Amino acid sequence: MTAALLPGARVYFPRGSALDVLRCQVDEFMIDGPAGTGKSRVALEKINALAEKYPGCRLAIVRKFRAALTETALVTFEQHVKPRCNVRNQQRNVRQSYVYANKSEIIVAGIDNPVKLMSAEFDAIYVQEATELTLNDWEFLSTRLRNGVIPYQQLFGDCNPGPPSHWLKKRMDAGLTTRLLSRHEENPRLFSSRGEITPFGQSYMARLDKLTGPRRDRLRYGKWAAAEGLVFDTFDEAVHVIDPFPIPSDWRRFRSIDFGFIHPFVCGWWAINPDGALYLYRELYRTRRTVRDHAVQIAEYSKGEWYEALITDHDAEDRATLEQELGVTTMPADKRVSSGIQAVQDRLGGPGTPPRLFVMRGALIEQDPALIDGETGLAEGPTCTVEEIDEYVWEKQKGKDGEMLKERPVKKGDDGMDMLRYAVMYADSTEHASIGAGSLDGW
Ligand SMILES: Nc1ncnc2c1ncn2[C@@H]1O[C@H](COP(=O)(O)OP(=O)(O)OP(=O)(O)O)[C@@H](O)[C@H]1O
Ligand SMILES: [Mg+2]
């Protein structure tokens, strides 16, 4: 006979790799797999189980940015895992820790503010979306594991697959991090224990099936994949996406804009260091708003900063609106596509050529809710410039000898790419003082 469950009681039946997560005692492991398989849930179940089992242990739930935990891990933890500790008197967004009656404590922290992590020692640390971290972040966390209350000390994480070149994939391939593979069939919300898909599973999987490119390979099929024929194939997140730092006041700054309404309107805030390297330090990437509304937000975020130029796409009306709202003159972008791409590639660097183009992690002001699928919570396409790079590919055109011709990129999801090209062309032109009137006539 099955006892009736009390209302609000917790129900958790792990399956497949989720069981492995709960049993795993190695120093370091990762559970990776497509979207919505139950990775974060089991990781949090493990953290809770450890807290209950080992009185006085110290654990941590970590993500690159503390703010991103509030609506993800902490909601799942509190509403589904239901830890037996009093969390009623704190706002979730400022929650620092969960303290159990047995004196176990779970710290909640972001790598963006590592003070709490630096000042303590832990028995186990769970990193949500570990692909967001740098290898340095990961190694830093491994030095914090020496509390010695749990018989094994463990650093573990979950993630969706990224590009095959990612340090985490390489680390797993090298056997330094044990890899556990999570699959949709393991989540009872999606599939019954007999493998039959649930009604919710049907609609969730149908939405994943609608994804395209590497996003589909990664989030639907769980593959560490990159798009074929990438335009910026030397772009490497580990090199070009850097942690934010305060920009010295004597660095040059400018903004560049690509207009859009159905497609994103993209504004980049750029800084140039004394050696001429370019840094995208802030970004607006939003659809379905008027230029006037964008201008209000741009002005808000630009307070207290001085820019030497505002580079924009050529639309006369949009430029006029911007000029009126921001009280500055705009400068038409150099829109030549092939030279722009070449200029970006040059700045990305390569063997023997150091990179001179960087994007600060977390530069995006806010995520555009219109670009997120309400049911799956997943983005259907890029939601910022860096994400476009991953899917920006050459049109497939074969030459006489069957060679792929790199003539022009596919014109899709390229609004951030345009903003980026305008910025690089401007920065290069001011560096070499070589911009010419004839250079502004498009492709
Ligand atoms: N064994 C289980 N029993 C009950 N509910 C589960 C189970 N596994 C997962 N879920 C539920 O399924 C939903 C998705 O799970 P979760 O967020 O852990 O997936 P994920 O793999 O981390 O997703 P993402 O790839 O988007 O990060 C959550 O509501 C979670 O509570
Ligand atoms: Mg998750």
Side-chain angles (χ1 to χ4, degrees):
M1 201 181 87
T2 344
L5 287 167
L6 296 170
R10 40 174 272 109
V11 188
Y12 183 68
F13 298 106
R15 280 187 205 160
S17 68
L19 284 167
D20 298 334
V21 167
L22 297 173
R23 291 179 189 135
C24 189
Q25 300 196 1
V26 298
D27 296 347
E28 197 176 308
F29 79 86
M30 185 64 46
I31 175 152
D32 99 59
T37 58
K39 301 178 291 297
S40 300
R41 173 74 185 266
V42 67
L44 292 163
E45 292 283 352
K46 175 159 184 153
I47 286 286
N48 180 54
L50 291 174
E52 297 255 3
K53 181 167 176 188
Y54 296 101
C57 70
R58 286 181 65 84
L59 308 160
I61 300 172
V62 174
R63 196 163 166 165
K64 181 73 184 185
F65 294 101
R66 166 63 186 81
L69 284 173
T70 303
E71 294 306 322
T72 56
L74 301 193
V75 173
T76 306
F77 194 55
E78 292 170 22
Q79 295 182 356
H80 296 285
V81 180
K82 300 185 199 279
R84 288 191 291 170
C85 43
N86 187 354
V87 289
R88 250 169 272 157
N89 301 327
Q90 281 173 311
Q91 294 279 342
R92 197 178 287 138
N93 61 345
V94 291
R95 184 107 61 236
Q96 307 263 350
S97 67
Y98 299 91
V99 182
Y100 289 62
N102 68 2
K103 304 236 167 20
S104 289
E105 185 172 6
I106 303 173
I107 303 292
V108 178
I111 303 274
D112 55 339
N113 181 7
V115 181
K116 275 183 287 173
L117 296 166
M118 278 152 92
S119 57
E121 293 178 347
F122 298 91
D123 292 282
I125 299 177
Y126 156 53
V127 183
Q128 190 179 43
E129 294 303 338
T131 45
E132 294 171 352
L133 268 56
T134 63
L135 177 56
N136 273 348
D137 297 337
W138 183 258
E139 286 176 346
F140 156 69
L141 291 177
S142 69
T143 66
R144 311 315 307 150
L145 288 165
R146 45 184 185 205
N147 199 43
V149 172
I150 299 181
Y152 59 94
Q153 309 280 283
Q154 193 169 61
L155 175 59
F156 67 100
D158 70 11
C159 66
N160 297 128
S165 56
H166 198 283
W167 65 265
L168 188 50
K169 174 70 167 47
K170 290 183 186 156
R171 199 171 169 87
M172 292 192 291
D173 289 347
L176 294 169
T177 306
T178 300
R179 183 178 185 196
L180 302 177
L181 288 177
S182 179
R183 290 296 173 246
H184 287 120
E185 290 71 15
E186 295 172 3
N187 186 345
R189 288 193 67 195
L190 307 176
F191 287 88
S192 75
S193 55
R194 290 193 300 277
E196 292 147 351
I197 193 159
T198 63
F200 176 73
Q202 252 161 4
S203 85
Y204 189 83
M205 299 307 284
R207 280 163 186 268
L208 293 185
D209 279 331
K210 278 201 264 161
L211 298 172
T212 55
R215 192 183 309 273
R216 180 186 167 100
D217 288 338
R218 295 170 190 169
L219 300 178
R220 168 68 179 89
Y221 296 109
K223 292 185 198 155
W224 290 76
E228 248 180 73
L230 278 178
V231 175
F232 298 127
D233 55 356
T234 52
F235 178 84
D236 180 353
E237 271 206 45
V239 173
H240 300 103
V241 180
I242 55 162
D243 286 338
F245 58 84
I247 297 168
S249 56
D250 59 337
W251 287 19
R252 296 164 53 202
R253 295 182 196 226
F254 68 96
R255 295 169 293 193
S256 70
I257 290 179
D258 185 57
F259 296 122
F261 183 77
I262 303 283
H263 288 201
F265 172 108
V266 188
C267 175
W269 280 257
W270 296 89
I272 307 180
N273 79 5
D275 295 328
L278 254 182
Y279 294 81
L280 177 67
Y281 65 94
R282 190 180 298 132
E283 179 182 10
L284 171 64
Y285 191 103
R286 283 201 71 143
T287 55
R288 294 169 196 277
R289 278 199 326 199
T290 62
V291 173
R292 188 157 278 114
D293 287 342
H294 288 306
V296 170
Q297 195 177 25
I298 292 169
E300 180 67 28
Y301 277 89
S302 300
K303 272 188 193 144
E305 296 181 358
W306 185 87
Y307 313 94
E308 62 182 38
L310 174 58
I311 317 297
T312 68
D313 208 345
H314 295 191
D315 185 281
E317 198 181 323
D318 288 346
R319 284 179 66 191
T321 311
L322 265 188
E323 293 188 350
Q324 195 186 355
E325 294 293 323
L326 295 176
V328 293
T329 39
T330 59
M331 181 173 170
D334 182 341
K335 287 173 70 86
R336 288 175 299 163
V337 179
S338 52
S339 352
I341 286 175
Q342 185 61 56
V344 173
Q345 282 169 337
D346 289 348
R347 276 187 175 265
L348 290 174
T353 319
R356 298 176 71 237
L357 176 62
F358 304 94
V359 178
M360 286 191 187
R361 198 169 273 110
L364 187 69
I365 289 174
E366 63 194 352
Q367 199 154 59
D368 181 355
L371 297 173
I372 306 290
D373 179 310
E375 192 166 329
T376 58
L378 295 172
E380 291 175 23
T383 61
C384 63
T385 294
V386 166
E387 288 179 8
E388 283 188 14
I389 294 179
D390 231 16
E391 299 183 26
Y392 193 47
V393 292
W394 296 109
E395 252 177 31
K396 281 192 183 144
Q397 272 192 346
K398 292 225 166 115
K400 273 186 243 134
D401 50 1
E403 273 285 283
M404 262 265 281
L405 293 179
K406 288 184 172 177
E407 262 200 294
R408 57 178 68 217
V410 175
K411 272 213 71 61
K412 190 180 156 219
D414 61 353
D415 308 278
M417 297 299 86
D418 288 349
M419 180 283 290
L420 169 70
R421 266 193 359 260
Y422 304 161
V424 169
M425 290 298 260
Y426 168 76
D428 285 2
S429 72
T430 55
E431 197 166 46
H432 311 301
S434 65
I435 195 165
S439 63
L440 303 176
D441 49 6
W443 178 272

